[in-house]
Amino acid sequence: MNRPERRSQPRRPAPAKRVSWARPDAPKTCTGWISDVAESSVAFVTPRRDTPTVGEAIDLTLDTGRRSQRHRVAQVARTAPHDRYFNLVACRTDSEVGLPGNDA
Amino acid sequence: MSTMIEECATRNRSRLTGRDVIHRWEGNPIVSLEDIPFGCNTVFNAAAVKRQGEYLLLIRIEDKMGRSIFTLAHSEDGYRFVVDPQPVMTPSETEPFATYEACGIEDPRITLLDGTYYVMYTAFSHYGPRLALAKTENFREFERIALISEPVNKDGALFPRKINGRYARFDRPNVGSTGNVWISYSEDLVHWGQSEVVMTTRPDHWDCSRIGASAPPIETEKGWLEIYHGVKEAAAGPIYRLGAVMLDLENPARVLGRAAIPILTPREYYERVGDIGNVVFSCGAILEEQTREVKMYYGAADTCICVGTAKLDALIERCFDQEDSA
């Protein structure tokens, strides 16, 4: 499948949905809020103390609606301060995140 | 003219569909078990305050032993909170509090009064629930002041200013399985008395079984706005809803108007299903002075914390709306 270059992918304004993420094989699950979703990337805010590092692979679970979720593996591409309590984490995903109907 | 028609249409539509005055935030719930960085059983409800531009929730959670404790959460926008890594207040190990907090501390309400933040909460032991008062300057250290009621009494909420020279609080002494909202007064915040009933359960309403104060009262130009909870014992168990009442500014025992229908009733999944289903229960609301919007924080199903908003004027209007049809 030919995907458009990431920056040109259509973005949907993210509703206030939750995300949880964990390092592979780590017992601790961290939480956050989805900030931005595109076809093969996702950005979210997470508490500063929990922020993953750039290049790290994480397992993402995104709330997508009424009690429905999507699971994806993602690689952290960038982190930046969001406010006093949250950092913004931008990730590339191994499969499409934001498009409806692609959750096999 | 068209605006008036639209407002009437909206109001009628709201009544016909039973839509709540409180508008739920689409991101609810805002704090769940997964957001607590240490082990615990569940999340109940939270006191709320805005301090130096920061929103704070003092959250009642249940630890793994089953006792309720408090932890603090912070936010810049009032919706997305970060919970502290450790509890901020646990049952006291010092007498006389230790005896009466042996089973936990519950349902905190924060009031800013004369520059100090007071936390009125329920001390719970096998003697039953009773009210206690603490204060803090910085939300890191909490100084207990006194146990301020006998059992069985809960749902204490301190007024944010003296009334006719006396401190005032709501409380809820229980009579069997029922209870009403009372007001008591104090010269020193320690010794309380001159108690009188403010409002009672309504046999033919949603608040027929017991009622209690929820958020600390909000002073408005029309009177004291109090968001309270009402319980109806149904065949499948109790249903906790939230209502609104307007009280006289100089004599808060006098009811000026009491909404006939709830301002929030359990409808969403997270309000219906949890440790105790069909519960919405508030311990705190914040009035945004500039927008006259009220952010009301509430526990849902004794499992998570949510936020809803309403215009202050809509809540005031609802207090004087005596239509029974919802």
Side-chain angles (χ1 to χ4, degrees):
Chain A
M1 175 181 165
N2 287 329
R3 284 188 186 152
E5 197 271 330
R6 287 179 198 277
R7 287 171 196 270
S8 65
Q9 290 174 2
R11 287 189 150 71
R12 296 185 302 151
K17 295 293 181 193
R18 303 305 301 266
V19 61
S20 58
W21 63 271
R23 296 175 172 91
D25 304 322
K28 183 183 177 188
T29 299
C30 305
T31 58
W33 297 87
I34 299 171
S35 172
D36 183 66
V37 174
E39 187 178 345
S40 56
S41 66
V42 61
F44 61 91
V45 296
T46 195
R48 286 188 160 205
R49 62 169 176 261
D50 295 332
T51 307
T53 55
V54 173
E56 200 173 2
I58 57 175
D59 295 325
L60 280 178
T61 302
L62 297 100
D63 282 356
T64 52
R66 287 199 161 211
R67 304 193 296 283
S68 69
Q69 296 179 327
R70 284 183 184 150
H71 303 278
R72 294 288 184 268
V73 175
Q75 186 169 34
V76 178
R78 188 181 298 177
T79 66
H82 175 71
D83 63 17
R84 263 189 290 180
Y85 307 110
F86 289 96
N87 276 343
L88 183 66
V89 179
C91 299
R92 297 188 180 97
T93 59
D94 64 340
S95 53
E96 295 163 359
V97 204
L99 300 180
N102 66 348
D103 209 27
Chain B
M1 185 66 176
S2 63
T3 307
M4 274 180 60
I5 293 170
E6 285 165 14
E7 282 178 5
C8 288
T10 303
R11 195 179 305 158
N12 288 336
R13 201 162 47 241
S14 169
R15 285 178 182 142
L16 286 172
T17 58
R19 204 171 62 188
D20 299 310
V21 173
I22 298 289
H23 173 75
R24 293 168 177 81
W25 189 50
E26 61 179 1
N28 280 343
I30 57 170
V31 179
S32 318
L33 197 57
E34 296 74 20
D35 299 305
I36 310 294
F38 50 90
C40 59
N41 284 336
T42 194
V43 180
F44 281 100
N45 48 54
V49 68
K50 191 174 180 182
R51 176 178 174 259
Q52 297 165 1
E54 178 191 39
Y55 295 84
L56 295 173
L57 295 182
L58 186 63
I59 302 176
R60 174 191 169 192
I61 61 174
E62 187 181 80
D63 70 13
K64 286 186 170 179
M65 291 193 298
R67 302 177 314 167
S68 284
I69 59 177
F70 300 156
T71 192
L72 200 65
H74 311 253
S75 172
E76 278 201 4
D77 64 6
Y79 296 97
R80 296 166 178 85
F81 283 85
V82 172
V83 182
D84 278 355
Q86 296 295 331
V88 73
M89 196 169 165
T90 56
S92 176
E93 296 177 353
T94 306
E95 296 296 352
F97 298 96
T99 296
Y100 301 102
E101 297 180 3
C103 298
I105 49 177
E106 304 179 349
D107 302 342
R109 275 101 170 171
I110 298 172
T111 300
L112 176 61
L113 196 162
D114 297 337
T116 299
Y117 292 96
Y118 290 91
V119 182
M120 200 170 281
Y121 63 98
T122 301
F124 190 54
S125 70
H126 63 272
Y127 298 107
R130 62 186 299 194
L131 295 175
L133 187 66
K135 66 178 181 180
T136 183
E137 304 285 342
N138 53 21
F139 286 90
R140 289 189 299 272
E141 288 122 16
F142 290 80
E143 179 189 341
R144 284 170 169 84
I145 297 173
L147 294 152
I148 53 171
S149 82
E150 297 175 339
V152 173
N153 202 329
K154 57 195 304 189
D155 297 328
L158 186 64
F159 280 69
R161 68 167 169 85
K162 286 183 174 178
I163 297 170
N164 298 319
R166 297 177 297 176
Y167 298 106
R169 77 174 191 214
F170 289 123
D171 53 29
R172 204 280 296 279
N174 272 47
V175 182
S177 62
T178 191
N180 300 305
V181 175
W182 288 62
I183 192 166
S184 302
Y185 297 95
S186 173
E187 301 284 345
D188 58 5
L189 291 172
V190 175
H191 304 91
W192 292 82
Q194 295 99 38
S195 304
E196 57 181 316
V197 71
V198 176
M199 59 178 184
T200 62
T201 55
R202 294 180 289 195
D204 53 346
H205 280 64
W206 55 274
D207 48 3
C208 60
S209 296
R210 59 188 172 276
I211 55 174
S214 273
I218 297 171
E219 188 167 9
T220 76
E221 63 276 15
K222 301 278 187 183
W224 293 104
L225 171 66
E226 174 57 19
I227 295 170
Y228 72 99
H229 59 273
V231 184
K232 180 178 186 175
E233 293 290 346
I239 303 171
Y240 281 72
R241 300 181 175 99
L242 292 168
V245 64
M246 188 62 65
L247 307 169
D248 187 271
L249 279 178
E250 297 311 311
N251 176 18
R254 190 164 81 89
V255 175
L256 303 178
R258 181 175 174 183
I261 63 178
I263 60 168
L264 190 72
T265 195
R267 300 181 197 278
E268 296 293 329
Y269 181 83
Y270 49 81
E271 298 161 346
R272 293 284 197 187
V273 178
D275 272 17
I276 310 288
N278 295 317
V279 171
V280 292
F281 188 99
S282 177
C283 284
I286 294 170
L287 172 62
E288 304 283 11
E289 299 281 356
Q290 286 193 338
T291 60
R292 287 178 66 84
E293 183 184 71
V294 175
K295 282 192 177 74
M296 190 191 71
Y297 297 90
Y298 65 97
D302 279 2
T303 298
C304 57
I305 291 170
C306 302
V307 61
T309 56
K311 287 292 182 188
L312 178 63
D313 294 334
L315 288 169
I316 293 172
E317 184 186 349
R318 178 56 64 93
C319 289
F320 297 99
D321 186 350
Q322 294 306 307
E323 272 198 37
D324 282 340
S325 59

